[in-house]
Amino acid sequence: MLAFGKAIAEGLRPGMTLYLQGTLGMGKTTLSRGIVHALGATGAVKSPTYTLVEPYQLASFPLYHFDLYRLGDPEELEFMGIRDYFDGRAVCLVEWPMRGQGVLPAADIVITIGEAADAAPGRDLLLEAGSAAGEALLQSLGQGGAPGAD
């Protein structure tokens, strides 16, 4: 997941939003850690489960890592000023995006992480582009516009 995070990071541009989906323990935070570290952040990258968002001021752009697992109601996002984070200047990584449905903007890339088939080691990844920027990122990964990847 860390290596995949590095590959994703190389194609990120300001204004992009990534949704990270999967059940508990699938590696959403580990993937986020790989992205954040590949973009030059140092120090711990932890899941912002209780704070909802962890900001990182990177050399190129700000990055916001959201974990909406404990969100009670999507309306809570409005109270925290969610729209200010999605201003076109930052990259936003959102774990548990379905909990913010109706308030969050659409994702450029949706990454769904699941158990590997046949109990093989590792994880299965499904990548879906939701915008032209997302499509370009998938192509840079060698996906050629395919809706998913293993």
Side-chain angles (χ1 to χ4, degrees):
M1 294 307 278
L2 294 173
F4 180 63
K6 182 178 186 219
I8 288 283
E10 292 173 6
L12 289 177
R13 302 292 174 260
M16 294 185 79
T17 298
L18 279 70
Y19 286 179
L20 309 177
Q21 303 181 141
T23 57
L24 286 171
M26 283 296 108
K28 296 178 296 295
T29 300
T30 302
L31 175 57
S32 296
R33 184 175 301 119
I35 292 169
V36 171
H37 282 161
L39 291 170
T42 58
V45 175
K46 58 188 180 354
S47 178
T49 302
Y50 294 99
T51 59
L52 295 182
V53 62
E54 186 70 35
Y56 297 92
Q57 186 56 53
L58 306 170
S60 303
F61 47 78
L63 183 142
Y64 299 106
H65 176 200
F66 295 88
D67 184 335
L68 305 183
Y69 181 73
R70 297 199 183 278
L71 189 69
D73 185 306
E75 189 69 22
E76 292 176 39
L77 295 173
E78 293 290 356
F79 298 126
M80 69 177 273
I82 192 73
R83 296 182 199 287
D84 294 340
Y85 294 98
F86 296 88
D87 63 2
R89 293 180 289 164
V91 167
C92 294
L93 308 177
V94 183
E95 296 185 36
W96 301 96
M98 69 291 282
R99 304 221 177 178
Q101 192 170 28
V103 176
L104 292 173
D108 295 290
I109 297 280
V110 177
I111 302 172
T112 303
I113 306 168
E115 292 284 350
D118 300 323
R123 299 283 187 246
D124 279 343
L125 301 171
L126 174 66
L127 291 90
E128 300 171 277
S131 70
E135 186 67 33
L137 194 149
L138 286 185
Q139 289 180 2
S140 75
L141 292 172
Q143 297 305 306
D150 288 329

